[in-house]
Amino acid sequence: MNTPTLLLDGLPVPFSAGQTIMEAATAAGVFIPHLCHHPDFKPQGSCKLCTVKANGRYVSACTMPAKDGMEVENDSPDLNDKRRTLLQMLFVEGNHFCPSCEKSGDCLLQALAYELEMLTAHFAQFYPDRPVDASHPDVLLDFNRCILCELCVRASRDVDRKNVFALSGRGIGKHLIVNAESGRLADTGFSLADKAAHVCPVGVILAKRQGFLQPIGQRRYDRQPIAMQFASLPGSGGNGPEA
Amino acid sequence: MMANADFPLESASPIAGGVRRVALDPLSRVEGHGKVTLLLDDAGHVWQARLHIVEFRGFEKFIQGRPYWEVPVMVQRLCGICPVSHHLAAAKALDHVVGADELPPTAEKLRRLMHAGQILQSHALHFFHLSSPDLLFGFASDAARRNIVGIAAAHPEVARQGVLLRRFGQEIIRLTAGKRVHGTGAIPGGVNRALSPAERADLLAGIEQIIAWSRQAVQLVKRLHAADPELYDHFGTCRSSLLSIVGAGGVLDFYDGRLRARDADGRVLADAVHARDYAGLISEEVKSWSYMKFPFLSAIGPREGWYKVGPLARVQNCEAIATPMAEAERREFIAHGCGRIVHAPLAYHWARMIEMLHAAEAIEDLLHDDELSGSELRSSGARHHEGVGVIEAPRGTLIHHYRVGDDDLVTMCNLIVSTTHNNQPMNEAVRRVAQRYIDGQELTEGLLNHIEVAIRCFDPCLSCATHALGRMPLVIELLDASGRLVGRLAGAPDALSSGGGS
């Protein structure tokens, strides 16, 4: 029996049964922009950055199973325009001050903004008031940068078995919370060794006193733009700093 | 003319016939945003002259609640000209917070190199790009030509050297901080990278030329002084105390040392004051018409205790410069004062070029030092809740003071930046020049540029001084005897607009 194959921007991409479009593309070294996807976790399709057109329909590449003969449009002006708009909305909803953020150069949101050539925030800034949680001795939570990807929620629940994080509220009021009576990270069983401490794709969950130790030029996305990293390391499928 | 405030011409006395107000707004070829206002009576006599800094920034407030390791990277955004100075002053303050009172030699030398690169590029920028048009063409020369483009046309070699000197300084910053502007090299307790032997060799290949050009720049300023000593020794001159840090053994040191203040005659008023005790040495006064505070030596008081900082103060506050060519030039400069302290604002340029030469020589010495390529980059020790960092920025003494809680967040920040120290001297220089050149005269762009020339001597960075967000243009406005706006100089130097006859 022939290996099932889909056409990704006209390129034949073989895949094995059960793989999603994202998994097939990643294995082939083709980058599909994404934020909430991480190869170590079950996909949830919430950020919509990985939206592709499969047989003419908009779908999330991270949740849609690949099908033999499927024609997938990924790197097109139409899709990249939509992705850029999603990024712009994420940037204005939080407080993303890259110039003084220790995650600069290692941040997936920033890397995607560069990749998709986001030149301005376009929308009016929300400037939300989100105090940081510095109560934990080893970890700082800077909620200003949360993009609601739920990777920490999934990691703490599914890997660490601690359920430290959750999303609360609805719609525009949705926000990341800490599962403690006080709402403070220090009052949970959270540890720097937890998986959840290392999956944040942006600068929310930070090991304290480590900021800026890595010189400019040696940070993850200083070396190569994100799409090229996928091309040079097919199969890596990374999302956070660990990948 | 008459005045009723502490300082002549700071505030106008009641005037029978009323006054008109001239505003120079924006000031040009300075960094940041400010304006000068003059109050003139019907005969054109000056009743009041003030330098206003009109923007407010608020870094001291919004750094509160941020983690301390973010501070050196964030606060350097105060400025795009001397971010390295803010970066290092903050790192030095936080060294104490993380218990790193002594850095590994590699870390300290890399920071010193980064700072010398900063002094070199900033001094070159100021002298060649911002001030040389006034000095080489004349204060009242054609405004259309009085800029770096005009210099490039008339004195191409001077313009070229200015650009390349600056580039060399920026390259040192790039290699030590990761970027030419707003890098991340210094971290609390040390640095995040060393220089490789290859990087040092690349820089060393160009240093001889940089030193030679720096020497030529000193000679150029000396020729200007010699050509018109009356102007250079007296233009806007105001006597005041001097303040700077002085390194071990009394040498000129931009990176570290203890605070020393001299009075206007050169007598030492305070010496070996540790940075952490700065609050006992100086106080700050607030005036309603400027966002920039007015610091003064606490022991003397606001009336007499104001002081100059920056190159003119440093070169006369130290006892020696540790590199031979700059030291020879310093001695010549001191000899020019004939045993008296030189207070002439235009002598700032001379002192500034001596410092640029010293920075170039110091860079060469450091680049030969193998410790720059060492591997021990950080140290730490017992935590403290408070730290003060002081450094000599290109424009003068820069003080950063932070308190940090047990949770690692900043709870208090106080920044006293170089230009703030020079607030009163700049105001006084403006008044001297207004009195000497503007009083009773028909106003012209060239005459008003004399005021800007006086301000430029101090190389003010008005954005830093108010920690303000935004641009730094300066405005001059002219009011008539009834307070009506009759003239306004804004934006480009040739933009003197008339609102009823100026």
Side-chain angles (χ1 to χ4, degrees), chain A residues 28 79-80 86 109 140 160 165-166 188 198 217 225-226:
Chain A
L79 287 165
N80 286 337
L86 289 170
L109 183 69
L140 175 76
D160 306 327
F165 299 105
T188 69
H198 303 278
I226 187 168

CSV table of all heavy atoms in Angstrom, one decimal, chain A residues 28 79-80 86 109 140 160 165-166 188 198 217 225-226:
chain,number,residue,atom,x,y,z
A,28,ALA,N,8.0,17.0,8.1
A,28,ALA,CA,8.6,17.2,6.7
A,28,ALA,C,9.5,18.5,6.8
A,28,ALA,O,10.0,18.9,5.7
A,28,ALA,CB,7.5,17.4,5.7
A,79,LEU,N,-3.7,33.7,4.5
A,79,LEU,CA,-3.6,33.1,5.8
A,79,LEU,C,-2.6,33.9,6.7
A,79,LEU,O,-2.9,34.1,7.9
A,79,LEU,CB,-3.1,31.6,5.7
A,79,LEU,CG,-4.1,30.7,5.1
A,79,LEU,CD1,-3.5,29.4,4.7
A,79,LEU,CD2,-5.2,30.4,6.2
A,80,ASN,N,-1.5,34.4,6.1
A,80,ASN,CA,-0.6,35.1,6.9
A,80,ASN,C,-1.1,36.5,7.3
A,80,ASN,O,-0.8,37.0,8.4
A,80,ASN,CB,0.7,35.3,6.1
A,80,ASN,CG,1.5,34.0,6.1
A,80,ASN,OD1,1.4,33.1,6.9
A,80,ASN,ND2,2.4,33.9,5.1
A,86,LEU,N,-4.3,38.2,14.2
A,86,LEU,CA,-4.4,37.5,15.5
A,86,LEU,C,-3.2,37.9,16.4
A,86,LEU,O,-3.4,38.2,17.6
A,86,LEU,CB,-4.3,36.0,15.3
A,86,LEU,CG,-5.6,35.3,14.7
A,86,LEU,CD1,-5.3,33.9,14.3
A,86,LEU,CD2,-6.8,35.4,15.6
A,109,LEU,N,6.0,34.3,20.7
A,109,LEU,CA,5.1,35.4,20.2
A,109,LEU,C,6.0,36.4,19.4
A,109,LEU,O,5.6,36.8,18.3
A,109,LEU,CB,4.4,36.1,21.3
A,109,LEU,CG,3.4,37.1,21.0
A,109,LEU,CD1,2.2,36.6,20.3
A,109,LEU,CD2,3.0,37.9,22.2
A,140,LEU,N,8.9,33.7,39.0
A,140,LEU,CA,8.1,34.9,38.9
A,140,LEU,C,7.0,34.7,37.9
A,140,LEU,O,7.2,34.1,36.8
A,140,LEU,CB,9.0,36.1,38.4
A,140,LEU,CG,8.3,37.4,38.1
A,140,LEU,CD1,8.0,38.1,39.4
A,140,LEU,CD2,9.2,38.3,37.3
A,160,ASP,N,2.6,17.2,35.7
A,160,ASP,CA,3.0,17.4,37.1
A,160,ASP,C,2.0,16.9,38.0
A,160,ASP,O,2.3,16.7,39.2
A,160,ASP,CB,3.3,18.9,37.3
A,160,ASP,CG,4.3,19.5,36.4
A,160,ASP,OD1,5.2,18.8,35.9
A,160,ASP,OD2,4.2,20.7,36.0
A,165,PHE,N,-2.4,25.8,37.6
A,165,PHE,CA,-2.9,26.9,36.8
A,165,PHE,C,-4.2,26.5,36.3
A,165,PHE,O,-4.6,25.4,36.0
A,165,PHE,CB,-1.9,27.2,35.7
A,165,PHE,CG,-0.5,27.6,36.1
A,165,PHE,CD1,0.5,26.7,36.1
A,165,PHE,CD2,-0.3,28.9,36.7
A,165,PHE,CE1,1.8,27.1,36.5
A,165,PHE,CE2,0.9,29.2,37.1
A,165,PHE,CZ,2.0,28.3,37.0
A,166,ALA,N,-5.0,27.6,36.0
A,166,ALA,CA,-6.3,27.5,35.3
A,166,ALA,C,-6.6,28.8,34.6
A,166,ALA,O,-6.1,29.8,35.0
A,166,ALA,CB,-7.4,27.1,36.3
A,188,THR,N,1.1,27.3,46.5
A,188,THR,CA,0.8,26.1,45.8
A,188,THR,C,2.0,25.2,46.0
A,188,THR,O,3.0,25.6,46.5
A,188,THR,CB,0.6,26.3,44.3
A,188,THR,OG1,1.9,26.7,43.7
A,188,THR,CG2,-0.4,27.4,44.0
A,198,HIS,N,8.5,25.2,32.5
A,198,HIS,CA,9.3,25.3,31.4
A,198,HIS,C,8.6,25.3,30.0
A,198,HIS,O,9.3,25.0,29.0
A,198,HIS,CB,10.4,24.2,31.4
A,198,HIS,CG,11.2,24.2,32.7
A,198,HIS,ND1,12.3,25.1,32.8
A,198,HIS,CD2,11.0,23.6,33.9
A,198,HIS,CE1,12.8,24.9,34.1
A,198,HIS,NE2,12.0,24.0,34.7
A,217,GLY,N,22.6,37.3,20.7
A,217,GLY,CA,23.4,36.6,19.7
A,217,GLY,C,23.3,35.1,20.0
A,217,GLY,O,23.5,34.3,19.1
A,225,PRO,N,15.8,32.5,12.1
A,225,PRO,CA,14.3,32.8,12.3
A,225,PRO,C,13.6,31.5,12.5
A,225,PRO,O,14.1,30.4,12.1
A,225,PRO,CB,14.0,33.4,10.9
A,225,PRO,CG,15.2,33.9,10.3
A,225,PRO,CD,16.3,33.0,10.9
A,226,ILE,N,12.5,31.5,13.1
A,226,ILE,CA,11.8,30.3,13.6
A,226,ILE,C,11.5,29.4,12.4
A,226,ILE,O,11.7,28.1,12.6
A,226,ILE,CB,10.5,30.7,14.4
A,226,ILE,CG1,9.9,29.4,15.0
A,226,ILE,CG2,9.5,31.5,13.5
A,226,ILE,CD1,8.8,29.7,16.0
